[in-house]
Amino acid sequence: MFEQSEYRETIRENVEEGYPILQLRATDADSPSNANIRYRFVGDSATVARAAFEVDPRSGLITTRGSVDREANEHYTLQVEANDQGKDPGPRSANVKVFITVLDENDNVPQFSEKRYVVAVKEDVRPHSEILRVSAVDRDKDSNAAVHYNIISGNSRGQFSIDSVTGEIQVVAPLDYESEREYTLRVRAQDNGRPPLSNNTGIVSVQVTDVNDNPPIFVSTPFQASVLESAPVGSSILHIQAIDTDSGDNARLEYRLTGTSSDTPFVINSATGWVTVSSILDRESVEHYFFGVEARDYGMPPLSATASVTITVMDVNDNRPEFLQKEYYSRLNEDAVVGTSVVTVTAVDRDVNSAVTYQITGGNTRNRFAISTAGGLDYEDQMTYTLAITAKDNGIPQKSDTTYVEVNVNDVNDNAPQFLSPRYQGTVSEDAPPFTSVLQISATDRDAHANGRVQYTFQNGEDGDGDFTIEPTSGIVRTFRRLDRESVPFYELTAYAVDRGVPPQKTPVHIQVTVLDVNDNAPVFPADDFEVLVKENSAVGSVVAQITATDPDEGANAQIMYQIVEGNIPEIFQMDIFSGELTSLIDLDYESRNEYVIVVQATSAPLVSRATVRIKLLDQNDNEPTLQHFQIIFNNFVSNRSNSFPSGVIGRVPAHDPDVSDRLYYTIDRESNNRIMFPVFFFFFFFSGITSSV
């Protein structure tokens, strides 16, 4: 018989092998030969029990047999048998249940749910947005299983944060695909055990995906190219190239020319950016072409950039000389000395730098006349001349000797700067910020060294009263302050290209800058409150007034729409949305209502103005007077004197006319039996005497 009906005990997991857990005791009242008690595990749990525990068959002491792991089995229910080994009549036994609870030790490291976490995040994700949750599980129990997270590497710029409890990872600083496309974060999961255990193998790969946040950028600007006027159609002359730091369609570009006309002889390949000749060129017609180019990406929405293009057409010898006159006339005395100038003939060749030489080809009997050509030296044409001087004799055969003379020409400042274009035109929006680039002028100087170095400037009063400035070296014209198109719609400027020669030479060029309108002015009524006089009985649907406002803007920005916004209930008037004409929808009657007050609105989206309009009706004579039946009673008056009837009011005629502007006049249509006449003044009867009978 066991000393207890059941046994309960707790042990820590991972105790060493042979660790004593529980002492079982059973007693047997028989003699020693029948009371030799042996203990063993029995029942269904015997196999499980023997794997983890051992019971001493003689002493009944239960010890650990191997490793005890709470995570494998937290509760054991063992059944132990005590057998007395009796012989007569046979062995007898007793069983008891043993309950062992394994206490947790912090012996398990948190394990992440994924070997590697991968998440794609757009570069424009808003700060403090959740992008991912990591999760780790600790097989231990209670505080030993409570996991906390933190980022231990890969977050050097502090762009991510992790919730230590939930494992939620957030973006806390802006991302930029163009700066860094992928972040590899190492996350630690640590439990709350004593001492704590941690797992540093959590890897989070944050892959930044591109959004279209970068416009194209031209490799160089402005673009300039030269092409021979004889270049065949289809010739490639200029490669326009832009880059976009985005990726995919956000970085795929297409090109188009802007500011061109139907006769512009150039086209651009939208994919490659190569500008080619599309029609025959003629330098003598147009020498310089100025237009723009736009690079646009395929992002949503697309972004674009623009640049200016200048193409100079270079000359080829495709024109013949032509004389300025078909005939020349001159008089020459016969005693003119040899070498006297007779006439100067001139032929012009439209090509550039064409040298024309002359010779007499007929009619020069006995060679009385000769043509010679001569010209001064020009450093810009040739700095050095090497002359061959030949001396020939008259012998037969003729012999000669040759020497060479080198002439070096020193430069002087004899050339003024020349602009690439005779005039420049540009546009700028009136709301452009100060120092906005408007256009670029360019000049060259054929001189050398300092004589050919060009700077650009405005002179006093020629810079739009200080509204523009010019960069001395680049020739870029910029706004100096904000402009106002309503004050100055365009500017006529004069810039100068000045070389550094002594003395310097300068060349002016005309610049026209057109200020583009923006909708920065609201419509303006003539007054905030004004009256309109309208005759009553105006025809229904007729225009009774036209109420207009003015807008100093231009074009679509100055288009005004009108409407009635207050005071037109019920609908009495209608206003034309574009002309401001006010029409009546009902028959206007002064006697019913003599004034209407409405509020009208002028809109130049998004700007509006309002005004109060008082519509006053003018009375018309459209009502007849009304006279009710009436009776005037007065007493007889007896007097022996003539003209002694008392004077004064004897009655009032009850007449009425609804027209307020009408003035009534009264007459007596029929006389009384005594043919007594009473004078009538407006509304009153007066009498001068009373007789004894009427």
Side-chain angles (χ1 to χ4, degrees):
M1 176 182 294
F2 284 94
E3 292 179 345
Q4 297 178 209
S5 60
E6 65 179 24
Y7 291 86
R8 294 183 180 273
E9 188 59 84
T10 59
I11 64 169
R12 294 180 296 105
E13 67 174 331
N14 300 326
V15 295
E16 64 273 17
E17 183 177 345
Y19 182 85
I21 301 173
L22 181 65
Q23 178 67 60
L24 303 181
R25 285 187 178 85
T27 59
D28 191 322
D30 292 326
S31 63
S33 60
N34 291 324
N36 186 13
I37 299 175
R38 295 287 188 270
Y39 302 89
R40 64 174 182 148
F41 294 120
V42 296
D44 296 335
S45 62
T47 302
V48 175
R50 293 190 189 99
F53 306 101
E54 206 170 56
V55 58
D56 189 292
R58 292 186 177 275
S59 66
L61 176 64
I62 298 178
T63 59
T64 57
R65 181 186 184 90
S67 174
V68 179
D69 186 4
R70 186 203 65 82
E71 287 71 35
N73 197 341
E74 185 176 5
H75 300 283
Y76 292 86
T77 301
L78 312 178
Q79 188 168 339
V80 179
E81 177 192 78
N83 190 305
D84 61 8
Q85 306 294 310
K87 300 297 183 180
D88 185 20
R92 303 186 69 177
S93 63
N95 293 339
V96 70
K97 286 187 176 181
V98 178
F99 300 94
I100 298 176
T101 299
V102 182
L103 301 178
D104 184 62
E105 290 285 320
N106 191 25
D107 60 343
N108 287 278
V109 176
Q111 299 297 320
F112 285 98
S113 60
E114 303 282 346
K115 290 184 178 179
R116 184 182 185 91
Y117 297 86
V118 180
V119 61
V121 181
K122 290 186 176 181
E123 65 175 323
D124 63 348
V125 63
R126 291 185 300 177
H128 303 292
S129 297
E130 177 184 352
I131 61 171
L132 180 70
R133 285 186 184 235
V134 298
S135 176
V137 176
D138 193 320
R139 296 178 60 213
D140 292 320
K141 188 177 181 182
D142 301 325
S143 62
N144 292 333
V147 179
H148 295 273
Y149 307 89
N150 67 304
I151 300 173
I152 60 175
S153 68
N155 193 27
S156 58
R157 290 193 286 179
Q159 292 184 283
F160 305 92
S161 69
I162 188 168
D163 189 297
S164 63
V165 176
T166 65
E168 173 187 312
I169 297 178
Q170 292 185 352
V171 176
V172 295
L175 302 178
D176 186 7
Y177 174 85
E178 287 70 33
S179 298
E180 193 160 355
R181 301 186 179 185
E182 183 174 3
Y183 297 84
T184 300
L185 307 178
R186 184 177 295 275
V187 178
R188 171 188 291 156
Q190 181 172 290
D191 62 28
N192 280 352
R194 293 292 183 270
L197 298 179
S198 61
N199 187 340
N200 298 339
T201 64
I203 300 297
V204 178
S205 176
V206 181
Q207 298 174 353
V208 182
T209 60
D210 185 56
V211 297
N212 194 23
D213 60 344
N214 290 284
I217 300 174
F218 285 100
V219 174
S220 63
T221 185
F223 293 96
Q224 296 181 346
S226 299
V227 56
L228 291 173
E229 62 178 325
S230 60
V233 174
S235 300
S236 297
I237 61 172
L238 177 63
H239 189 202
I240 304 294
Q241 188 175 9
I243 59 174
D244 194 319
T245 54
D246 293 317
S247 65
D249 282 346
N250 295 333
R252 186 163 62 95
L253 302 179
E254 67 173 1
Y255 301 89
R256 72 180 185 93
L257 300 181
T258 63
T260 58
S261 59
S262 58
D263 58 352
T264 300
F266 304 101
V267 294
I268 190 170
N269 186 301
S270 62
T272 66
W274 274 103
V275 178
T276 58
V277 179
S278 61
S279 59
I280 296 175
L281 303 176
D282 184 10
R283 185 206 65 83
E284 287 70 37
S285 297
V286 181
E287 186 175 2
H288 302 285
Y289 290 88
F290 305 93
F291 48 86
V293 62
E294 179 189 75
R296 180 186 296 269
D297 61 33
Y298 282 78
M300 293 300 293
L303 300 177
S304 64
T306 59
S308 61
V309 179
T310 301
I311 296 180
T312 301
V313 182
M314 297 189 301
D315 186 62
V316 296
N317 191 23
D318 60 345
N319 292 276
R320 65 180 179 85
E322 293 183 359
F323 282 100
L324 298 180
Q325 296 177 220
K326 296 299 181 182
E327 296 177 334
Y328 292 86
Y329 299 93
S330 177
R331 292 182 182 273
L332 179 67
N333 294 332
E334 62 180 340
D335 59 353
V337 297
V338 174
T340 299
S341 175
V342 179
V343 68
T344 300
V345 297
T346 303
V348 176
D349 191 324
R350 295 176 63 212
D351 294 319
V352 175
N353 299 326
S354 60
V356 180
T357 60
Y358 304 86
Q359 68 178 7
I360 298 173
T361 57
N364 191 16
T365 305
R366 290 187 289 182
N367 295 321
R368 296 293 187 184
F369 301 94
I371 289 180
S372 62
T373 60
L377 300 177
D378 190 348
Y379 174 90
E380 288 69 43
D381 288 338
Q382 189 169 337
M383 294 181 291
T384 302
Y385 293 85
T386 302
L387 307 177
I389 309 299
T390 303
K392 294 183 180 181
D393 63 15
N394 294 327
I396 300 173
Q398 189 179 50
K399 297 184 177 184
S400 65
D401 190 17
T402 301
T403 187
Y404 297 92
V405 178
E406 182 177 286
V407 180
N408 293 308
V409 182
N410 294 322
D411 181 54
V412 295
N413 192 23
D414 58 344
N415 290 281
Q418 297 295 317
F419 282 97
L420 299 181
S421 176
R423 61 185 290 118
Y424 291 87
Q425 294 180 335
T427 59
V428 62
S429 178
E430 66 176 318
D431 62 348
F435 302 106
T436 296
S437 174
V438 180
L439 54 86
Q440 185 176 26
I441 63 175
S442 181
T444 59
D445 193 314
R446 297 180 61 216
D447 293 320
H449 309 303
N451 295 331
R453 295 174 189 167
V454 179
Q455 287 189 327
Y456 306 93
T457 183
F458 286 125
Q459 292 190 353
N460 293 337
E462 295 178 336
D463 58 353
D465 292 331
D467 286 343
F468 296 89
T469 183
I470 189 169
E471 293 181 357
T473 55
S474 69
I476 295 176
V477 177
R478 299 183 183 274
T479 59
F480 188 71
R481 56 176 67 94
R482 284 190 179 272
L483 308 178
D484 183 13
R485 187 205 65 83
E486 288 70 42
S487 299
V488 183
F490 63 90
Y491 290 82
E492 299 289 344
L493 313 175
T494 301
Y496 293 86
V498 184
D499 62 30
R500 296 187 179 182
V502 180
Q505 295 206 47
K506 67 179 181 179
T507 302
V509 69
H510 180 71
I511 301 173
Q512 185 181 71
V513 178
T514 301
V515 183
L516 302 179
D517 184 54
V518 296
N519 192 17
D520 58 348
N521 291 277
V524 178
F525 284 103
D528 294 335
D529 193 323
F530 52 90
E531 291 184 354
V532 172
L533 301 179
V534 179
K535 291 182 179 181
E536 70 168 329
N537 301 328
S538 296
V540 175
S542 64
V543 177
V544 298
Q546 184 171 17
I547 301 168
T548 59
T550 58
D551 191 323
D553 294 319
E554 69 174 0
N557 294 331
Q559 184 176 358
I560 302 175
M561 293 185 290
Y562 302 91
Q563 64 182 130
I564 302 172
V565 295
E566 294 181 18
N568 198 30
I569 300 175
E571 194 171 8
I572 298 171
F573 300 97
Q574 179 176 286
M575 192 173 204
D576 188 278
I577 189 172
F578 296 111
S579 68
E581 290 183 342
L582 195 67
T583 57
S584 61
L585 301 179
I586 66 171
D587 186 11
L588 302 175
D589 184 17
Y590 177 89
E591 288 71 37
S592 299
R593 183 174 176 179
N594 61 12
E595 184 178 2
Y596 298 88
V597 179
I598 62 175
V599 176
V600 297
Q601 177 174 290
T603 302
S604 175
L607 306 175
V608 299
S609 294
R610 291 188 177 184
T612 301
V613 181
R614 303 180 187 278
I615 303 171
K616 294 188 176 183
L617 300 186
L618 299 176
D619 185 43
Q620 302 295 304
N621 188 16
D622 58 345
N623 292 281
E624 295 182 353
T626 59
L627 181 62
Q628 302 174 358
H629 293 291
F630 67 95
Q631 184 178 25
I632 299 175
I633 301 175
F634 55 89
N635 296 323
N636 293 335
F637 182 80
V638 179
S639 174
N640 57 359
R641 293 180 297 166
S642 62
N643 300 326
S644 61
F645 196 84
S647 61
V649 177
I650 64 172
R652 192 181 301 272
V653 177
H656 174 68
D657 191 325
D659 296 321
V660 297
S661 61
D662 287 351
R663 186 176 183 182
L664 301 182
Y665 298 87
Y666 298 84
T667 59
I668 297 177
D669 290 340
R670 290 179 297 173
E671 297 178 355
S672 65
N673 292 335
N674 294 331
R675 304 189 65 80
I676 299 174
M677 295 290 294
F678 299 99
V680 179
F681 300 100
F682 301 108
F683 297 139
F684 306 100
F685 288 103
F686 298 91
F687 58 89
S688 60
I690 300 179
T691 61
S692 59
S693 63
V694 178

